[in-house]
Amino acid sequence: MNHTDHDQANLVTKVRESIRRIDGNLVKRMQGDEGMIGYIKNLEETNALIPGEANCLNFSCWCNFGLYDIDFGWGKPIWVANYVSTDSCNSPKLNDVMFLDTRDGKGLEVYATLEEQYAAALDKIEELRSLISINPSPPELKHL
């Protein structure tokens, strides 16, 4: 087994171990009035497992949450977008990737705040670039 095969096998093992940690207790902690406290506790436990020298990419998916069906009294949104979160130093939080549905439900919007090394690596993937399109701006969406 060469070094690359070993790294890939090790990655698969780590992913499987991580998925096994998603159980009823993990989910239950995030429910009810204390749900946010449980969510933070889950994050703290997960972060404690990550070695300090690790390069991390954080992914979250908000697809199929029905965000375009929510009406707070002034109508349904014409565009749902992510914001750039910040860390305690008020600098952009890097290496976050968030997936959201498009308004028509037929596509996917990806919001990524990445360190330059990751952005440069993604830019080199020709197959990925062929899937990217620029959506109209929010004012243009109200006419769709």
Side-chain angles (χ1 to χ4, degrees):
M1 183 180 277
N2 66 37
H3 182 69
T4 302
D5 291 341
H6 177 72
D7 286 348
Q8 289 175 350
N10 191 32
L11 176 61
V12 169
T13 300
K14 295 234 181 257
V15 169
R16 284 183 179 153
E17 289 171 358
S18 297
I19 290 171
R20 275 192 219 108
R21 285 190 188 98
I22 301 171
D23 61 10
N25 291 330
L26 182 130
V27 174
K28 188 175 182 177
R29 278 195 291 219
M30 295 187 291
Q31 296 175 338
D33 293 340
E34 301 294 316
M36 183 54 90
I37 293 168
Y39 172 74
I40 292 169
K41 184 175 180 177
N42 288 342
L43 282 178
E44 288 172 348
E45 289 177 6
T46 300
N47 287 338
L49 299 170
I50 301 171
E53 71 277 2
N55 292 322
C56 295
L57 289 171
N58 301 302
F59 291 86
S60 62
C61 181
W62 288 51
C63 295
N64 298 316
F65 278 8
L67 298 174
Y68 283 99
D69 295 325
I70 298 171
D71 185 342
F72 290 105
W74 54 84
K76 294 180 180 181
I78 59 168
W79 186 39
V80 175
N82 183 25
Y83 69 96
V84 176
S85 59
T86 59
D87 62 18
S88 58
C89 299
N90 280 340
S91 61
K93 186 175 179 199
L94 296 176
N95 303 330
D96 274 358
V97 180
M98 178 183 227
F99 301 99
L100 289 164
D101 295 310
T102 55
R103 182 179 184 199
D104 64 8
K106 296 179 182 177
L108 182 70
E109 291 187 3
V110 180
Y111 294 84
T113 53
L114 301 171
E115 291 178 40
E116 190 173 329
Q117 66 189 22
Y118 297 119
L122 282 176
D123 194 43
K124 292 179 183 176
I125 303 172
E126 195 65 39
E127 296 87 3
L128 184 61
R129 283 203 267 156
S130 71
L131 298 171
I132 296 172
S133 66
I134 305 298
N135 284 335
S137 70
E140 294 170 359
L141 287 172
K142 73 178 187 177
H143 301 293
L144 294 178

